[in-house]
Amino acid sequence: MDFEQARPFMENNHWGVITTFQADGAAQSSIVVCGAYKGHAAFCIVRGSSKKTRNLRRDPRCTVLTVTKDWRRWVTVEGEAKLYDYHNTDAEEMRVMLREVFNACGDHEHPDWEEYDQAMRQQDAVVVLVTPQRVYGQGV
């Protein structure tokens, strides 16, 4: 399976589990909302100081498992993550990207974009885009 085959599934299902790798090589999994964005698996880390952010900055390998609400169908995207934040991305570009990834990873518009923008900046949010290297799943 390639990413284009998985993309519609990821556009319609936003529940997921990501796996990153700790310094000792152990896997660390976290529940996220996720989606497809510009040819990548995407999710946002709301707190830029989180363990998953630190893991990905040290080791960009990442797996995004997207599932249906009933956990009966799934798609996995394995690849390398690229992190975007207010430290390495132009502020306006980051604001727009955060909004677009929010929409790509959800089923509704945010009710107050200005509040969202402010919260993401205060929390040092990070957009994570995973370049697909291996894509597989069941029921897609």
Side-chain angles (χ1 to χ4, degrees), residues 9 13-16 34 65-69 71 73-75:
F9 182 87
N13 297 281
H14 303 291
W15 304 270
C34 52
L65 167 70
T66 305
V67 298
T68 56
K69 283 184 181 180
W71 290 81
R73 294 183 309 132
W74 53 274
V75 165

Side-chain angles (χ1 to χ4, degrees), residues 99 102-103 108-116:
R99 287 182 177 198
F102 178 94
N103 286 330
H108 63 279
E109 287 274 324
H110 195 281
D112 186 340
W113 283 117
E114 288 183 27
E115 176 187 56
Y116 176 81

Side-chain angles (χ1 to χ4, degrees), residues 108-140:
H108 63 279
E109 287 274 324
H110 195 281
D112 186 340
W113 283 117
E114 288 183 27
E115 176 187 56
Y116 176 81
D117 295 342
Q118 183 178 3
M120 294 299 97
R121 197 168 197 38
Q122 287 174 342
Q123 295 168 0
D124 202 22
V126 178
V127 169
V128 180
L129 302 182
V130 179
T131 301
Q133 295 173 338
R134 184 170 176 230
V135 181
Y136 52 95
Q138 181 176 355
V140 177

Side-chain angles (χ1 to χ4, degrees), residues 10-23:
M10 294 184 74
E11 290 174 343
N12 292 300
N13 297 281
H14 303 291
W15 304 270
V17 177
I18 62 151
T19 301
T20 62
F21 297 93
Q22 299 179 64

Side-chain angles (χ1 to χ4, degrees), residues 15-139:
W15 304 270
V17 177
I18 62 151
T19 301
T20 62
F21 297 93
Q22 299 179 64
D24 66 0
Q28 178 177 347
S29 297
S30 300
I31 296 171
V32 298
V33 292
C34 52
Y37 177 73
K38 296 185 177 183
H40 298 83
F43 59 94
C44 181
I45 300 172
V46 176
R47 300 241 183 246
S49 61
S50 74
K51 180 74 172 172
K52 54 188 163 274
T53 304
R54 291 191 310 269
N55 287 345
L56 288 170
R57 289 196 194 286
R58 188 189 60 262
D59 182 346
R61 292 177 301 145
C62 185
T63 299
V64 180
L65 167 70
T66 305
V67 298
T68 56
K69 283 184 181 180
D70 64 7
W71 290 81
R72 294 183 186 260
R73 294 183 309 132
W74 53 274
V75 165
T76 298
V77 175
E78 296 177 357
E80 289 200 2
K82 180 157 182 165
L83 281 63
Y84 298 85
D85 59 32
Y86 281 103
H87 306 287
N88 68 9
T89 306
D90 172 77
E92 179 61 14
E93 183 181 343
M94 187 65 192
R95 183 187 69 79
V96 170
M97 187 184 304
L98 280 162
R99 287 182 177 198
E100 290 175 348
V101 170
F102 178 94
N103 286 330
C105 295
D107 299 323
H108 63 279
E109 287 274 324
H110 195 281
D112 186 340
W113 283 117
E114 288 183 27
E115 176 187 56
Y116 176 81
D117 295 342
Q118 183 178 3
M120 294 299 97
R121 197 168 197 38
Q122 287 174 342
Q123 295 168 0
D124 202 22
V126 178
V127 169
V128 180
L129 302 182
V130 179
T131 301
Q133 295 173 338
R134 184 170 176 230
V135 181
Y136 52 95
Q138 181 176 355

